[in-house]
Amino acid sequence: MILTVTFNPAVDHTLRIEESPQVGRVHRATEGGQFDAGGKGINVSQYLAALDSDTVATGLLGGFTGDFIRSKLSDEPFETTFVDVPAPTRVNTTILTADGEYKFNENGPKATEAAVDELLQWIEALRPNRVAVAGSLPPGIGPDAIDRIARAGPWKTDVDVGGKMLTNLAAAYDTCKPNEEELAAAVDREIADVDDAVMAARELLNRGYDRVVTSLGSEGAVLVTPDVSLYAEAVDTEVIDTVGAGDSLFAGVLSALERGLSEREALKTGIAVAGRVVATAGTSPPSFEDLESLRDEVDVRSVPLASD
Ligand SMILES: O=P(O)(O)OC[C@@]1(O)O[C@H](CO)[C@@H](O)[C@@H]1O
C-alpha cells in the first residue's frame, strides 16, 4: 500500500474567465467555480486509486475547508486518516483565461510538532510499503518532519517537495519528483534541455535519492537511477490545465513501481497518466480506461551523456 502525506492540503478552486485579468476590473466567471479536494499527496492518492493501486491518504486538515475535503474524499475508493489542526485548511485558486493559467497558493495554517507526532503514530499503525510525502510544508514545521517519517519505519519514502527542500533532507529516500524549476533550484543552475536535466538528476542521486523523476512540462519527463537515464516526450493532447500534472506523473510512476514494473515502464505509465490529467479541468481523476493504448504511444529512450 502507498500511503500519501499531505502536510498542507488545499481546497482547489478553479475559475474560468474570458479575458486576460486587468488591474481594477471586475472579472465575471463564465461558469460556476469548481472545487476539488487538493494538495499534492491527496491528488497522488486520488490518481493511485483511479489506477487501482492500494492507497491511504493522510495529512493535516482543519476548519470548514478541512471538512469539505473530508466529505469530498469520503466518496473516494480509498481510506483517509487526517490529523486535526485548529485553523482552516487553505484555498488555492486557479484562474483559466484566454491567455493561459494563473495559480495563487496560500501558505496554509500553522502546524505543530504535536500534529506531526500524531501523524507518525498513524503511519506506523498503517504499515505502508511506501510513503509519498508531497507538497509544501505549512508554517510551523520544517524538513525534519519529513526526515522523521522516512526514518520511522521500514517503508520506502518518496518525496515531491520544493527544490531547495530536496537539499535539506537528510534521510535516505527512494524517489524524488522535482519539476524543472525545482531541479534547477536544487542544483543551483539553469536547466536548459534534457541533457541538463539528466546531469542535475544524477547529482541529486548522490544526495540520498535512489531515483529522480523530473517533469519537464510540455517537454515530457526524465527518470534517472544509478543504472538508467531515461527520457520520454509528453503525450500529444489538448491541454486544459496543468494543475495536478506533476502529481499524476508521480502517481503513475509509483503505481508501476509497486507492481514491480521496470523503470522504463514506470516512466511510460507516468507520462500516459499525466497526459490524461492535463486534458481534464481541475485535479479530479479522469477515466484511465484507455491507459494501455496511451502507454503504447509513449516512446522512452535512454539518454547517453557526453561524459559516458
Ligand atoms: O503549495 P503546494 O503544496 O506546493 O502545492 C499545492 C497545489 O498547488 O498542488 C496541487 C497540484 O499539484 C494542487 O492541488 C494544490 O493547490
Side-chain angles (χ1 to χ4, degrees), residues 26-61:
V26 173
H27 299 284
R28 305 274 173 198
T30 52
E31 51 195 71
Q34 179 178 333
F35 294 92
D36 291 311
K40 295 193 191 313
I42 290 175
N43 295 341
V44 170
S45 272
Q46 297 194 88
Y47 300 134
L48 283 171
L51 291 166
D52 287 331
S53 280
D54 194 12
T55 183
V56 175
T58 73
L60 312 180
L61 284 178

Side-chain angles (χ1 to χ4, degrees), residues 97-289:
T97 75
D99 64 353
E101 175 182 319
Y102 295 76
K103 181 105 169 67
F104 303 88
N105 283 14
E106 294 185 29
N107 288 336
K110 196 170 176 329
T112 59
E113 283 300 325
V116 178
D117 292 344
E118 197 182 328
L119 189 58
L120 256 172
Q121 283 173 13
W122 279 111
I123 297 173
E124 282 165 5
L126 288 160
R127 305 167 69 86
N129 292 339
R130 278 181 185 274
V131 175
V133 182
S136 57
L137 293 180
I141 56 173
D144 57 305
I146 305 175
D147 281 335
R148 283 182 65 198
I149 290 176
R151 290 182 175 130
W155 46 78
K156 290 185 166 139
T157 307
D158 309 294
V159 283
D160 177 4
V161 294
K164 278 287 168 210
M165 182 81 74
L166 285 176
T167 61
N168 290 332
L169 297 178
Y173 290 88
D174 193 63
T175 303
C176 68
K177 198 228 61 70
N179 60 25
E180 191 173 337
E181 208 179 299
E182 290 164 338
L183 184 62
V187 296
D188 215 8
R189 61 170 190 272
E190 262 181 42
I191 308 288
D193 54 26
V194 169
D195 283 359
D196 282 357
V198 169
M199 286 295 278
R202 286 185 179 183
E203 256 177 70
L204 268 189
L205 292 180
N206 299 328
R207 300 206 191 148
Y209 301 99
D210 291 344
R211 181 182 303 97
V212 181
V213 178
T214 305
S215 46
L216 303 173
S218 59
E219 297 299 310
V222 296
L223 182 155
V224 175
T225 70
D227 302 320
V228 296
S229 296
L230 303 171
Y231 166 68
E233 276 182 24
V235 169
D236 188 15
T237 187
E238 188 201 357
V239 176
I240 304 290
D241 77 58
T242 61
V243 184
D247 308 333
S248 56
L249 172 72
F250 197 27
V253 168
L254 295 183
S255 71
L257 293 174
E258 270 304 280
R259 293 197 159 90
L261 300 185
S262 65
E263 303 292 341
R264 194 170 275 270
E265 291 303 312
L267 181 56
K268 245 185 194 192
T269 309
I271 289 278
V273 172
R276 266 289 156 277
V277 167
V278 295
T280 314
T283 53
S284 298
S287 159
F288 292 123
E289 258 175 26

